[in-house]
Amino acid sequence: NQAAIALENVRLHVEALAKERLEREMQLAGDIQSRILPKSVPVTPGFDLVGWNRPAQQVGGDYYDFLPLAGGNLGVTVGDVSGKGIPAALLVSTLHSAVRLLVDRIEVGSAMLQRLNQHILDSSAPNKFITLLLAALDPGTGELRYVNAGHNPAVVVRARGGLDTLEPGGLPLGLMAGGGY
């Protein structure tokens, strides 16, 4: 009987250590993901920009970013990876890196989404996809160009009143090759 009790105590101790290790890894994953998101919102005269994220779990699939573009323009991206937890967070990391690498090489538009789509298809599980809105704002003229890969319609609130809805224009990333945007 004492051997059984000792064995049970060892099993409980091993389970507690494993749980503690998993909690540390989840905390680390949350810290890594928080570093991906912007630390501040860029000051853009004439525009009020806001960004905020609170994952449902320690990590998740929600993503946004502000990107400096050529000519003093500002890139804005908002995305959502299907699912929750570590798998979604890993795909957010993949998306973040790909967008950051492509934004210097390809103008925000359909060609960029097509490249991102192929990258997500090549680097993720078949049951994963990403909805994504990419926009380029010219603060000097107020022009906003955007492409939307299945993301919820964005809303632009006008200073003089009124709202504009930026409708989706294509399939989410990672669903199928050759999607048009």
Side-chain angles (χ1 to χ4, degrees):
N1 233 358
Q2 286 182 339
I5 291 172
L7 188 58
E8 180 63 13
N9 285 339
V10 168
R11 186 188 67 77
L12 291 173
H13 182 70
V14 168
E15 283 181 7
L17 289 174
K19 182 179 177 188
E20 183 180 314
R21 180 175 177 229
L22 180 61
E23 288 172 2
R24 280 194 314 267
E25 288 177 358
M26 287 298 291
Q27 180 63 45
L28 179 59
D31 292 346
I32 291 169
Q33 189 169 36
S34 71
R35 282 186 234 133
I36 288 174
L37 298 173
K39 304 297 176 266
S40 62
V41 176
V43 175
T44 309
F47 297 88
D48 292 323
L49 303 170
V50 178
W52 179 75
N53 178 45
R54 188 175 115 197
Q57 300 176 5
Q58 283 180 311
V59 293
D62 296 324
Y63 174 69
Y64 75 96
D65 204 356
F66 300 103
L67 310 159
L69 301 177
N73 292 340
L74 176 66
V76 179
T77 182
V78 178
D80 189 9
V81 174
S82 61
K84 303 218 180 306
I86 296 277
L90 288 171
L91 199 48
V92 163
S93 183
T94 299
L95 173 67
H96 171 77
S97 297
V99 168
R100 288 277 172 152
L101 287 171
L102 287 175
V103 78
D104 289 336
R105 297 181 177 112
I106 301 174
E107 186 174 308
V108 170
S110 63
M112 183 185 226
L113 281 187
Q114 289 169 1
R115 290 280 301 271
L116 285 170
N117 183 51
Q118 191 58 53
H119 180 69
I120 298 304
L121 280 167
D122 292 343
S123 60
S124 67
N127 63 341
K128 288 292 183 191
F129 62 89
I130 302 170
T131 64
L132 184 70
L133 174 86
L134 279 170
L137 173 65
D138 181 335
T141 66
E143 178 184 33
L144 180 72
R145 292 179 299 106
Y146 77 96
V147 285
N148 190 333
H151 198 67
N152 296 332
V155 177
V156 175
V157 180
R158 300 288 177 184
R160 296 181 191 171
L163 304 172
D164 289 333
T165 303
L166 307 180
E167 296 295 331
L171 294 173
L173 304 175
L175 281 182
M176 62 189 300
Y181 301 97

